[in-house]
């Protein structure tokens, strides 16, 4: 091994060490830390983040990265160097005064957003949003792009994706989902969700959730399940991948589907190839691919007819008396209800992508000077009406609902819809190798997990997202799989 | 503020940051981490420990320390510099090859100890112990001492203490405890502990433990209670001080007295002066003073007649049916049973210090070449017989029971007995200001906690342990307080 390769490995080990400490701190901040302890802990987050930043932006590392990219014959080291180079350029191209000012602005803006949302007062956030968008435009200019400045932002979260690829995909998806939504709305099928809203003790919900996680192949010896307010999964190291969930005692759907969703993320993090453990590649290929794993398990498995055929009896064994009289068909419909609603994170799988497309179109216009921040709430409400047929009664349930923009994140939202589309495309590819429906109906998901590990999980960040999807499915990224899946499921369910 | 003062503060902040991250990792390793995750985490412990080591041993810091010690008028910065200087000298005087070899030997030896203890085979540990003792002798020589090499080792844990001070104290204590033990053994009072060994569900034990912690003044908004195998308390930061305990369902004593003990440590860590938060002085004055806090609450409060007068009814409210018929007097006697036993950590408050004196005498002889490692098991058994009148049937319940020596720690054991003696001396000092017994009988411990905070907690590491005890009690360190306390309690209890 060359000296450069040795130094690269040693630097990655150090970066990973700090990131592992930070990972544990993040988990603790969101699950266990006593209220008064959090303020002090944020200084530690600052210290460790600063260490990682200095390592990743050092001239010493850059030289090593450049040498290794040219000279190494080890594909993992080559890809690691490429990934580190991407980050090096991302951080170092921006003048450090701008970076610091942006970080400060982000944290001020996030706290103002809390206040703006509580009082439904967009004017509080407006000046911050203007500045954050100006910085994003500036960063896009510095990072560079071919056609649209938004491409540079998109590229942060989904390497290789551009508006040129995404525009026609989202247009096609939008039209199909709008049509499908209208058909379900005209349907005479009645869906009653009231029957789901009985008291269900947390500990019993947890028992069923753990059972499902185990069946998915989640390794509890390399993970654990805890409660939190905003559920997440986190790979602290490849043998310590934790799931968190939120149990709502009068609506078990929140905890159960949340657990399965985060379990999908966790399976990804638990199944990287061991060769990647000591590199910067032990992470998902992209935000979108990561989301494809959680959504595949949550929706295509967890909300499927076949899943409940194998699990409805076990569910009823754990559930309280009030659930014992529910009919299977009524239950299956209830957990798949379609309904236009204001809040993205509460949306069903049919309308969800419309919430994302709304944000995508507004983001592009904002970045491209085609929309001014002062006109944003109105533009939001208009689009909401066009896409979902409803108009928010205030900005708290409209433009102020998400933290992302207040945190200065533009280009992030599309990855959620990509996750849906990737999941559907992978689902069909999987069906070529496996009789997925029969497997799910039997209730043993091992072959499904093994397939995902073989094709997705184990590669970590070795491949770019669009290339990975293409290789697995033998086809370029295509929204029709999601459209077909949703059309088939919901025309059947709503008899429309 | 001078430039040196600013740098000193900044360095302490950085050291504290790494230590806070390490603290959280330690807590997690002992409470929550999934089994497979631990091996990877140890690399992070290595990385962060190395950062702290480099900071504490840097020439840059040494220069600042020296300047601040001479020039500052801020007593907190002066004491901080002194403390850092003590650590600088401790680490830098030892050649780094020796330090590394010692650390490696420690970890090998700890793992061999597990095996040696399981098979009760001292010969496995013997060569490691010989090397560890040789290193300890070498370190003592390097660090320097006036009379006995053991003084240099003692000084690591209890600054200012020497064998010259400790020898007569331990001799006096040993004689008094041996006599008292004999008297209780001749007593005709019968103590029945069987009545305590009923099934007591963990969750109910926890409820009572939390109630007691709250009454002690433990702040749950700046702490939490978790389960672990080997209970501990840890100040991750001054507003995040966690207690852990072990609930044994057929012996509630383990969980309850363990919780109170660790709660005593935690009160210390929760109540440092805010001025100390960003320094290296936000820690106990010494191991011995820290132990005085846990033992005071565990024994002088938690095992007192007055405590149970105010808590027996509440205890029975939480306890299962089998406890409802126990008489108060029989219960009080049972939780204060005196009995010679082999295992230190299971010893009662009367015999405990005899276990420590045994180790102290053997350690001194080992360090001073008066005892060879090969003769250690026999020497152990002989001393056990002389002090406690019993002889272990094997080395697992004798010389191999504790990890300390296998971890290379010599000079540490005495601090446990110091904790008992300090606690008794503080108890009497407290009685001059407060009617402690009446307060405990009323069941509201606030004045006691306030007194301890005023006299002990808030000062952190601002004062040397012996000086602190002397200032509070207006008297030099004196073992008679413990002897009087134990004599009074146990002659009464055993009517002897």
């Amino acid at each position: 091994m060359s000296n450069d390769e040795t130094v690269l490995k040693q630097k990655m080990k150090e970066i990973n060490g700090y990131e592992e400490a930070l990972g544990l701190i993040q988990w603790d901040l969101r699950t266990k830390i006593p209220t008064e302890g959090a303020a002090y802990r944020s200084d530690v987050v600052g210290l460790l983040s600063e260490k990682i930043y200095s390592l990743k932006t050092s001239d010493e590392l850059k030289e090593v990265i450049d040498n290794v990219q040219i000279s190494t014959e080890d594909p993992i080291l080559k890809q690691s160097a490429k990934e580190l180079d991407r980050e090096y350029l991302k951080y170092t191209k921006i003048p450090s005064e701008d970076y610091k000012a942006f970080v400060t602005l982000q944290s001020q803006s996030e706290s103002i957003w809390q206040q703006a949302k509580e009082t439904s007062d967009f004017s509080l956030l407006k000046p911050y949003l203007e500045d954050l968008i100006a910085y994003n435009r500036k960063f896009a200019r510095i990072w560079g792009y071919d056609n649209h400045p938004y491409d540079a932002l998109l590229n942060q979260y989904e390497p290789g994706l551009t508006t040129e690829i995404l525009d026609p995909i989202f247009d096609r998806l939008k039209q199909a989902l709008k049509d499908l939504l209208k058909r379900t709305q005209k349907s005479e099928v009645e869906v009653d969700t009231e029957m789901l809203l009985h008291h269900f003790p947390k500990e019993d919900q947890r028992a069923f959730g753990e059972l499902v996680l185990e069946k998915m192949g989640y390794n509890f010896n390399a993970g654990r399940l805890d409660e939190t307010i905003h559920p997440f999964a986190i790979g602290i190291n490849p043998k310590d991948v934790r799931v968190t969930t939120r149990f709502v005692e009068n609506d078990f759907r929140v905890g159960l589907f949340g657990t399965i969703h985060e379990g999908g993320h966790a399976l990804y993090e638990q199944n990287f190839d061991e060769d990647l453990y000591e590199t910067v590649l032990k992470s998902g290929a992209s935000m979108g691919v990561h989301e494809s794993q959680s959504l595949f398990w949550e929706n295509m498995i967890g909300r499927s007819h076949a899943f409940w055929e194998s699990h409805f009896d076990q569910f009823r064994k754990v559930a309280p008396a009030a659930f014992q009289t529910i009919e299977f068909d009524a239950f299956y419909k209830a957990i798949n209800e379609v309904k236009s609603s204001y809040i993205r994170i509460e949306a069903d799988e049919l309308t969800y992508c419309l919430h994302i497309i709304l944000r995508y179109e507004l983001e592009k216009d904002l970045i491209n000077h085609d929309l001014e921040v002062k006109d944003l709430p109105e533009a939001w409400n208009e689009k909401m009406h066009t896409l979902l047929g409803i108009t928010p009664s205030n900005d708290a349930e409209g433009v102020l609902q998400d933290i992302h923009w207040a945190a200065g994140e533009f280009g992030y939202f599309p990855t959620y819809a990509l996750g849906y589309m990737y999941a559907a495309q992978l689902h069909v590819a999987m069906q070529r190798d496996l009789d997925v429906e029969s497997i799910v109906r039997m209730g043993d998901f091992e072959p499904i997990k093994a397939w995902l590990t073989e094709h997705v999980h184990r590669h970590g960040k070795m491949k770019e997202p669009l290339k990975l999807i293409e290789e697995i499915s033998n086809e370029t990224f295509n929204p029709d799989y999601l459209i077909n899946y949703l059309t088939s499921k919901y025309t059947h369910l709503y008899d429309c």
Side-chain angles (χ1 to χ4, degrees), chain A:
Chain A
M1 189 175 296
S2 76
N3 185 44
D4 285 323
E5 289 175 324
T6 309
V7 173
L8 180 67
K9 283 189 165 188
Q10 183 263 318
K11 293 283 174 197
M12 289 198 288
K13 211 175 144 123
E14 196 171 345
I15 290 169
N16 285 345
Y18 291 126
E19 285 189 340
E20 182 164 342
L22 269 179
L24 179 65
I25 290 173
Q26 295 298 356
W27 171 83
D28 188 69
L29 276 168
R30 295 161 77 178
T31 54
K32 305 289 179 190
I33 200 169
T35 46
E36 295 180 17
Y40 291 86
R41 190 78 90 257
S42 68
D43 285 351
V44 184
V45 172
L47 171 68
L48 298 176
S49 304
E50 169 62 32
K51 288 288 155 189
I52 294 170
Y53 181 85
S54 325
L55 279 163
K56 287 189 174 173
T57 57
S58 75
D59 294 340
E60 187 197 350
L61 182 67
K62 175 61 174 161
E63 203 185 313
V64 169
I65 287 170
D66 288 344
N67 293 343
V68 170
Q69 282 196 93
I70 296 164
S71 65
T72 192
E73 292 182 7
D74 178 336
I76 292 174
L77 285 183
K78 198 179 196 80
Q79 180 69 12
S80 299
K82 191 177 161 195
E83 175 60 22
L84 283 166
D85 200 22
R86 215 176 58 77
E87 293 193 68
Y88 177 87
L89 294 173
K90 178 178 169 181
Y91 291 131
T92 54
K93 278 189 171 176
I94 296 173
S96 70
E97 317 83 70
D98 279 342
Y99 185 79
K100 275 183 196 157
F102 180 68
V103 170
T104 306
L105 186 62
Q106 274 178 319
S107 87
Q108 288 167 343
S109 168
E110 282 180 37
S111 106
I112 289 289
W113 167 78
Q114 297 277 6
Q115 212 182 317
K117 190 179 173 185
E118 273 160 30
T119 55
S120 195
D121 184 355
F122 182 77
S123 71
L124 293 176
L125 188 64
K126 182 175 159 284
Y128 293 90
L129 222 42
E130 284 167 341
D131 288 351
L132 287 165
I133 290 166
Y135 273 114
N136 267 277
R137 285 192 201 111
K138 186 171 182 183
F139 296 166
R141 225 164 31 239
I142 294 174
W143 291 329
Y145 53 88
D146 289 334
N147 297 310
H148 196 294
Y150 190 78
D151 293 347
L153 304 178
L154 209 45
N155 203 54
Q156 296 177 85
Y157 307 106
E158 207 66 18
L161 195 71
T162 60
T163 49
E164 199 179 346
I165 300 173
L166 205 47
D167 280 343
I169 284 173
F170 272 171
D171 280 343
R172 174 149 170 63
L173 183 63
K174 176 166 69 171
Q175 207 43 58
L177 295 183
K178 277 177 67 177
D179 292 348
L180 186 56
L181 177 60
K182 275 198 194 115
R183 284 161 71 181
T184 64
Q185 283 166 341
K186 282 182 197 150
S187 158
E188 283 174 11
V189 171
E190 300 253 321
V191 176
D192 169 22
T193 56
E194 284 296 310
M195 73 177 83
L196 304 177
L197 308 180
H198 297 298
H199 183 84
F200 197 149
K202 277 186 188 187
E203 279 316 304
D204 298 332
Q205 289 194 45
R206 168 189 283 271
F208 188 69
E210 285 177 350
L211 179 149
V212 176
L213 281 179
E214 266 176 22
K215 285 209 179 171
M216 287 168 64
Y218 175 74
N219 176 5
F220 271 99
N221 291 326
R224 46 180 295 127
L225 174 64
D226 294 272
E227 287 184 59
T228 186
I229 296 171
H230 302 291
F232 63 97
I234 186 167
I236 300 175
N237 70 42
K239 296 291 176 192
D240 182 6
V241 179
R242 305 184 188 189
V243 174
T244 66
T245 196
R246 181 165 74 96
F247 297 114
V248 178
E249 293 207 317
N250 60 5
D251 190 349
F252 76 89
R253 293 175 298 182
V254 177
L256 177 59
F257 295 111
T259 301
I260 300 175
H261 181 99
E262 301 306 335
H265 283 304
L267 282 188
Y268 203 167
E269 298 280 325
Q270 277 189 339
N271 292 289
F272 300 129
D273 267 345
E274 255 191 82
D275 294 350
L276 307 181
Y277 284 6
E278 300 207 330
T279 73
V280 290
L281 307 174
K282 59 164 186 28
S283 102
S286 69
M287 301 299 299
V289 177
H290 227 309
E291 199 68 11
S292 77
Q293 298 305 296
S294 51
L295 291 169
F296 173 80
W297 284 102
E298 179 190 352
N299 293 323
M300 281 148 203
I301 304 293
R303 282 193 169 88
S304 72
H305 202 274
F307 177 87
W308 287 100
E309 286 176 57
S310 58
H311 285 77
F312 195 54
D313 286 348
Q314 290 172 73
F315 174 78
R316 285 208 291 206
K317 258 184 214 152
V318 175
F323 288 87
Q324 306 305 323
T325 54
I326 301 179
E327 299 282 327
F328 179 86
D329 281 346
F331 178 86
Y332 174 65
K333 276 182 190 148
I335 60 164
N336 283 293
E337 187 198 29
V338 169
K339 196 177 171 183
S340 289
S341 63
Y342 302 114
I343 306 298
R344 175 183 61 84
I345 58 167
E346 294 169 6
D348 55 79
E349 62 174 338
L350 196 160
T351 57
Y352 191 92
C353 289
L354 293 171
H355 288 265
I356 297 306
I357 292 169
L358 174 148
R359 287 157 177 78
Y360 171 71
E361 294 178 352
L362 295 174
E363 283 190 354
K364 272 201 314 176
D365 287 350
L366 286 166
I367 295 298
N368 211 26
H369 293 280
D370 292 331
L371 174 65
E372 285 188 60
V373 174
K374 73 173 170 53
D375 301 322
L376 180 59
E378 208 187 315
W380 177 287
N381 292 350
E382 272 170 24
K383 265 203 200 296
M384 197 77 188
H385 189 261
T386 313
L387 292 169
L388 287 152
I390 54 176
T391 309
S393 59
N394 60 55
D395 290 338
E397 62 181 25
V399 68
L400 289 171
Q401 67 182 269
D402 293 310
I403 197 175
H404 303 58
W405 291 345
E409 290 169 348
F410 291 81
Y412 187 117
F413 277 124
T415 67
Y416 294 122
L418 293 170
Y420 273 86
M421 292 184 278
Y422 293 161
Q425 189 158 346
L426 292 173
H427 191 191
V428 172
M430 186 188 289
Q431 282 164 340
R432 285 178 209 134
D433 297 333
L434 301 176
D435 182 351
V436 178
E437 201 175 327
S438 298
I439 289 168
V440 177
R441 194 173 291 122
M442 298 294 290
D444 175 2
F445 310 135
E446 173 50 32
I448 295 175
K449 184 216 150 193
W451 191 95
L452 289 170
T453 294
E454 173 60 25
H455 293 91
V456 182
H457 303 159
R458 69 183 185 86
H459 305 292
K461 235 181 164 61
M462 277 296 283
K463 298 176 183 183
E464 293 232 320
L466 291 176
K467 196 152 176 285
L468 179 75
I469 298 296
E470 202 173 319
E471 278 183 21
I472 299 170
S473 59
N474 274 321
E475 189 185 339
T476 53
F477 172 40
N478 183 341
D480 286 351
Y481 293 106
L482 179 64
I483 294 167
N484 295 344
Y485 158 78
L486 292 173
T487 305
S488 158
K489 179 168 179 177
Y490 287 98
T491 53
H492 188 76
L493 224 147
Y494 277 89
D495 196 15
C496 60

